[in-house]
């Protein structure tokens, strides 16, 4: 007997030691896994800047000197900032045209068309496109739209001298660093949206007029003005400012069109009278248009379509339209608009040929008119339909334009080849030199049409080659990053299977084998050798340090995966012996999970999807719960109503309108929800569907009046919302007494839930009431109602989970608690396939907390007036902290309920956390491919923020888990067996 007892005791000690060692190992591994996840997501988040946002600009190209005589000695560039094509060309309500002078130019002495801008349709990118000939440098996204990421060439650089007057945001970009320039700009204070901004245009004209007047008394200035290769640039900001302030259909904006036309006429008359040599070319255009809302930036036609009028020396005369004028070639411009689109009848110009161009084409047009080399960074194609030259000079101009783009291609090719061990050239331009020789031969035999056609084809190939080398590393980088994400997700799956499923104990015993350690070391050695080889290759290719980081992370992850090959082998054997219906369940779970995750990806841009989601969820939950429990319990109806109530908010506008009555009414609603939860907690003993939630046999709270105090603070915060807002509206400042009261209410209410009873419903109700005063004081409209609606939906989730646990159909789940002595890892039960629903529901509700009251990824969600009840003196850090805390409160509620549900189901919370990260990374991979480097700054910025938000969830969710654990760690749930016995 004694020996038998000793053996039993020794056996139990061995099991206890094994369990202790396993827990120690698991804690250590998970700490390391979390650190790895944080580092990996931080590194991979930077990859989008190496893939999508690298500057296309290269340096070191030679200039291409034109081989033709310059048609003009000087050129005037007039840019009407923010002028829409339709508002410029169309007539007013009386049938009169707003720009009579420029219209007479179109009809009598010049050419016209629409210049198509490429998003982002902002002022700096537009002017860079016009003057330098290339589109927005995507690397500017890291420096802001007013900064130039790198130096670039422009028409102004090539000129003998440039005279420039206009806005302080535009003129210095091109002129501040040039020695051969005379420029001036008005102070920023002049840009006042409260006034008619057309005076800014007059200021620019007056500066130029004053320059010509001074030249009559200044011989040096007179001599300079008589030189050739001069450029005059007048930046006319009036239309842009008036469009923003008064909208483009306002009388002020439309009158500004007439002002711009008048300035063009006065500049023309002034110069023609000054020089009297007919050697001046004039270009009138705009950098971008203006949306009806008074904004610009995206690819809407009102923003991308701008007027272009060219006349003077070297410019063709107007041409009547005939069917032969239209090529109907299907060509698309950079704004994705079709070539040869019909001219609107209201423009009254259908009888005169219209020649549309891409905005970057204006730079080579200006260079050709002046006989200058094209800017070396230009990607514009010379629009020959504007230029009046002999056939030979036309071809020479096209050849110069082609060679300039080809030089950029050759420079990029040379740079990439010198840094590549295995270089893949752009094959269509493998024999570019023979094409150039053929062009020269055709010119020499005066076959100008063939030479021009071959030059234009070569130019198209050169532009394709530039794109080829701009995206040369994309395949390699994207492959490494995607393999890294897949590796990370695979490793997470292996960890969850090893640590939180019934395979855990089996694999722990297997890990004790010595030969496994030896094989693991061999795999790790191979991984180190592969990583060393790849790093040597990257070093030889002079790759940036981040390339090494991306590769190292990916190789490291896959090395760790292959180190678990024995577990993978055992897992395969385990699955191989299962029936086909088991694989069908796995497949169905996977498909459903991917469907939910893709739904969440699309919800980032279409908030209304959540409305359909909760409407459908409400109906399905109602029907399903009716099969499990009687309708008299009220649970099915409550769950349905809660889902439908929450569905309303994603139909609301993202910009929250002020409505203090709604905020005050929300305070009443929150108190009513709290009272209902309190009554439920006190009066449902003996009901098996509420037993575990209410937990009556737990000790009574130390503070029996806590609920009343919390309800009082919610009511007081509603009163303070009314008082603070009305007083601030009248006095425009916050009284110190109101400020202290609001801060005190917020501070005290957040601490009170820590002293509440530790039953599930009691603690969650206390948390809900604890954060309500702060949220109400930071609310300005319907988001206060959303707080209550979200709480009801979270309560519905708890009731659904509680019903599933105690229903007869899922009662067999309790079998997973049996044989707990074999569970060397967890205090609760192992994860099962059906448990995937919990992290998926969590992710849906977590994202609803993001987008339920606006767009978290957009500045619209950060309404500064939200903080005025706490502070009115500008303090950016404190205000930002309050705004962020307001946004975090719904997340805290969701995570508190998530933690409570894991306790209710006896699930390992960290295991569920890793599943959340796994699902987040599926979304991250999708957003990785949705990052944009073209479009408006808002579109580009939103694509980056969406990718960044989902990538950061590995840290974000973990930090919120740590914070909410303070409130939820001591929640107690009745055991399954005891609850079942009481129910019986």
């Amino acid at each position: 007997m004694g020996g038998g007892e000793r053996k039993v005791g020794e056996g139990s000690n061995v099991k206890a030691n094994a369990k202790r060692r396993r827990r120690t190992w698991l804690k250590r591994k998970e700490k390391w896994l979390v650190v790895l996840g944080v580092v990996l997501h931080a590194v991979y988040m930077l990859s989008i800047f190496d893939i999508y946002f690298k500057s296309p600009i290269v340096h070191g190209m030679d200039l291409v000197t034109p081989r033709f005589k310059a048609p003009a000695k000087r050129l005037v560039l007039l840019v009407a900032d923010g002028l829409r094509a339709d508002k410029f060309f169309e007539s007013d309500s009386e049938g009169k045209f707003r720009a009579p002078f420029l219209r007479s130019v179109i009809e009598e002495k010049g050419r016209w068309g629409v210049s198509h801008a490429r998003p982002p349709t902002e002022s700096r990118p537009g002017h860079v496109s016009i003057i330098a000939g290339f589109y927005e440098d995507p690397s500017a996204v890291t420096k802001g739209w007013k900064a130039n990421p790198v130096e670039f060439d422009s028409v102004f650089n090539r000129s003998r001298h440039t005279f420039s007057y206009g806005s302080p945001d535009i003129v210095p970009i091109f002129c501040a660093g040039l020695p051969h320039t005379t420029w001036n700009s008005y102070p920023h204070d002049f840009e006042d949206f409260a006034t008619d901004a057309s005076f800014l245009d007059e200021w620019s004209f007056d500066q130029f007029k004053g320059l010509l007047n001074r030249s009559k008394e200044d011989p040096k200035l007179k001599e300079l003005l008589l030189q050739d290769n001069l450029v005059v640039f007048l930046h006319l900001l009036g239309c842009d400012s008036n469009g923003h302030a008064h909208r483009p259909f306002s009388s002020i904006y439309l009158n500004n069109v007439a002002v711009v036309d008048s300035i063009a006429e006065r500049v023309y008359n002034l110069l023609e009278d000054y020089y009297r040599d007919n050697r001046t070319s004039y270009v009138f255009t705009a950098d971008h248009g203006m949306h009806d809302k008074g904004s610009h930036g995206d690819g809407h036609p009102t923003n991308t379509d701008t007027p272009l009028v060219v006349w003077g020396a070297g410019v063709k005369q107007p041409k009547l339209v005939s069917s032969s004028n239209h090529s109907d070639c299907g060509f698309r411009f950079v704004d994705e608009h079709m070539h040869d689109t019909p001219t609107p009848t209201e423009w009254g110009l259908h009888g005169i040929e219209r020649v549309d161009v891409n905005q970057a084409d204006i730079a080579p047009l200006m260079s050709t008119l002046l006989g200058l080399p094209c800017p070396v960074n230009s990607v514009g194609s010379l629009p020959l339909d504007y230029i009046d030259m002999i056939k030979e000079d036309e071809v020479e101009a096209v050849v110069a334009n082609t060679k300039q783009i080809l030089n950029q291609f050759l420079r990029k090719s040379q740079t990439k080849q010198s840094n590549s061990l295995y270089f893949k050239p752009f094959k269509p331009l493998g024999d570019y030199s023979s094409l150039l020789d053929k062009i020269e031969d055709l010119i020499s035999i005066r076959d100008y049409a063939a030479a021009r056609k071959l030059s234009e084809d070569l130019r198209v190939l050169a532009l394709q080659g530039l794109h080829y080398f701009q995206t040369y590393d994309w395949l390699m980088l994207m492959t490494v990053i995607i393999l890294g994400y897949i590796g990370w997700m695979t490793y997470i799956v292996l960890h969850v299977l090893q640590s939180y499923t019934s395979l855990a104990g089996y694999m722990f015993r297997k890990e004790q084998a010595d030969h496994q350690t030896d094989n693991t070391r061999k795999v790790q050695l191979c991984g180190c050798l592969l990583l060393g080889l790849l790093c040597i290759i990257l070093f030889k290719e002079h790759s940036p340090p981040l390339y090494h980081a991306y590769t190292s992370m990916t190789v490291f992850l896959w090395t760790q995966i292959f180190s678990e090959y024995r577990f993978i082998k055992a897992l395969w054997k385990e699955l191989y012996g299962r029936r086909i219906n088991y694989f069908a369940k796995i497949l169905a779970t996977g498909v459903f999970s991917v469907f939910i995750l893709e739904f969440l990806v699309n919800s980032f841009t279409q908030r209304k999807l959540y409305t359909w989601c909760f409407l459908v969820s409400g109906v399905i939950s109602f029907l399903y719960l009716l099969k499990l429990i009687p309708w008299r319990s009220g649970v099915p109806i409550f769950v349905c109503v809660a889902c439908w109530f929450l569905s309303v908010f994603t139909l609301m506008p993202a910009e929250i309108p002020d409505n203090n009555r709604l905020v005050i009414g929300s305070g009443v609603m929150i108190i009513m929800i709290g009272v209902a939860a309190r009554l439920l907690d006190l009066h449902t003993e003996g009901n098996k569907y509420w037993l575990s939630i209410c937990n009556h046999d737990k000790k009574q709270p130390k503070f029996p009046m806590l609920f009343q105090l919390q309800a009082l603070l919610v009511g007081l915060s509603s009163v303070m919302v009314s008082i603070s807002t009305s007083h601030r509206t009248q006095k425009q400042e916050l009284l110190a007494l109101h400020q202290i009261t609001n801060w005190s209410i917020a501070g005290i209410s957040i601490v009170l839930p820590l002293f509440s009873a530790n039953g599930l419903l009691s603690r969650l109700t206390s948390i809900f009431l604890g954060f309500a005063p702060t949220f109400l004081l930071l609310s300005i409209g319907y988001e206060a109602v959303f707080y209550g609606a979200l709480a009801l939906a979270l309560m519905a989730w708890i009731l659904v989970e509680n019903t599933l646990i105690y229903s007869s159909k899922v009662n067999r789940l309790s079998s997973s608690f049996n044989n707990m002595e074999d569970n060397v890892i967890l205090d609760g039960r192992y994860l099962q396939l059906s448990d995937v629903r919990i992290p998926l529901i969590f992710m849906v509700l977590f994202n609803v907390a993001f987008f339920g009251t606006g767009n978290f990824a957009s500045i619209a969600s950060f309404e500064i007036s939200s903080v005025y009840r706490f502070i009115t003196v500008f303090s950016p850090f404190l205000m930002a902290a309050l705004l962020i805390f307001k946004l975090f409160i719904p997340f805290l509620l969701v995570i508190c309920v998530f933690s409570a549900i894991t306790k209710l189901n006896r699930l390992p919370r960290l295991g569920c956390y890793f599943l959340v990260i796994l699902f987040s990374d599926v979304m991250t991979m999708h957003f990785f491919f949705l990052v944009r480097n073209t479009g408006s700054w808002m579109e580009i910025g939103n694509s980056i923020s969406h990718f960044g938000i989902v990538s950061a969830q590995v840290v974000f969710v973990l930090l919120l888990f740590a914070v909410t654990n303070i409130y939820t760690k001591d929640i107690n749930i009745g055991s399954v067996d005891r609850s079942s016995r009481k129910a019986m």
Side-chain angles (χ1 to χ4, degrees), residues 733-977:
E733 63 177 86
L734 188 65
L735 285 181
L737 177 62
H738 296 165
Q739 194 172 3
I740 293 169
T741 304
N742 292 340
W743 279 103
S744 301
I745 292 171
I748 294 169
S749 63
I750 290 171
V751 177
L752 290 180
L754 297 173
F755 303 100
S756 63
N758 56 5
L760 187 146
L761 185 58
S762 302
R763 178 56 59 90
L764 291 181
T765 303
S766 185
I767 292 169
F768 167 66
L769 292 174
F771 285 107
T774 309
F775 196 81
L776 287 173
L777 288 168
L778 288 168
S779 296
I780 60 171
Y782 73 82
E783 78 270 36
V785 186
F786 170 78
Y787 181 80
L790 180 64
L792 291 174
L794 292 170
M795 185 64 205
W797 183 22
I798 294 171
L799 292 176
V800 169
E801 292 296 334
N802 197 48
T803 303
L804 290 174
I805 290 172
Y806 289 97
S807 67
S808 58
K809 290 190 177 182
V810 294
N811 216 20
R812 61 181 180 274
L813 286 179
S814 62
S815 63
S816 61
F817 292 93
N818 297 335
N819 302 319
M820 290 298 291
E821 65 272 10
D822 293 333
N823 185 349
V824 296
I825 302 172
L826 309 168
D827 292 324
R829 66 175 175 85
Y830 289 124
L831 285 171
Q832 296 178 333
L833 195 59
S834 60
D835 294 325
V836 168
R837 73 182 184 281
I838 294 174
L840 282 175
I841 294 172
F842 166 77
M843 291 198 67
V844 172
L845 290 169
F846 193 77
N847 280 277
V848 168
F850 266 113
F851 297 107
T853 59
N855 182 355
F856 184 88
S858 171
I859 197 67
S861 292
F862 296 87
E863 176 56 58
I864 195 68
S865 61
S866 298
V867 304
Y868 286 163
R869 298 186 189 104
F870 288 94
I871 183 172
T872 54
V873 179
F874 184 68
S875 176
F877 293 108
L878 181 56
M879 286 180 165
L882 287 168
L883 286 170
I884 291 170
F885 184 64
K886 175 194 173 183
L887 293 169
F888 276 12
I889 288 174
F891 307 149
L892 294 172
L893 270 189
V894 174
I895 292 183
C896 283
V897 171
F898 178 69
S899 300
I901 284 175
T902 57
K903 291 197 172 199
L904 190 65
N905 283 278
R906 304 313 200 270
L907 293 175
R909 193 169 70 146
L910 265 178
C912 292
Y913 162 74
F914 284 120
L915 288 178
V916 168
I917 298 308
L918 172 67
F919 294 144
S920 294
D921 283 328
V922 174
M923 295 172 61
T924 301
M925 283 179 60
H926 192 136
F927 281 120
F928 177 74
F929 290 106
L930 294 180
V931 173
R932 297 184 56 173
N933 58 4
T934 58
S936 69
W937 279 124
M938 180 179 290
E939 291 163 341
I940 294 170
N942 280 348
S943 72
I944 295 173
S945 63
H946 292 163
F947 174 72
I949 286 170
V950 181
S951 296
Q953 283 193 5
V954 66
V955 182
F956 186 55
V957 174
L958 188 67
L959 289 175
L960 291 178
F961 269 161
V963 171
T964 55
N965 193 51
I966 299 170
Y967 294 100
T968 60
K969 63 182 177 181
D970 58 345
I971 289 179
N972 284 316
I973 309 291
S975 70
V976 175
D977 295 335

Side-chain angles (χ1 to χ4, degrees), residues 45-87:
M45 207 184 297
L46 297 173
S47 67
I48 60 171
F49 298 103
D50 281 324
I51 295 172
Y52 295 103
F53 300 103
K54 271 203 163 183
S55 175
I57 298 172
V58 288
H59 299 285
M61 292 81 68
D62 295 327
L63 293 172
V64 179
T65 305
R67 298 182 300 190
F68 56 85
K69 184 180 178 182
K73 290 184 67 176
R74 66 202 69 87
L75 181 137
V76 177
L77 173 63
L78 303 170
V79 179
D81 201 311
L83 177 58
R84 272 166 59 160
D86 59 343
K87 298 301 179 187

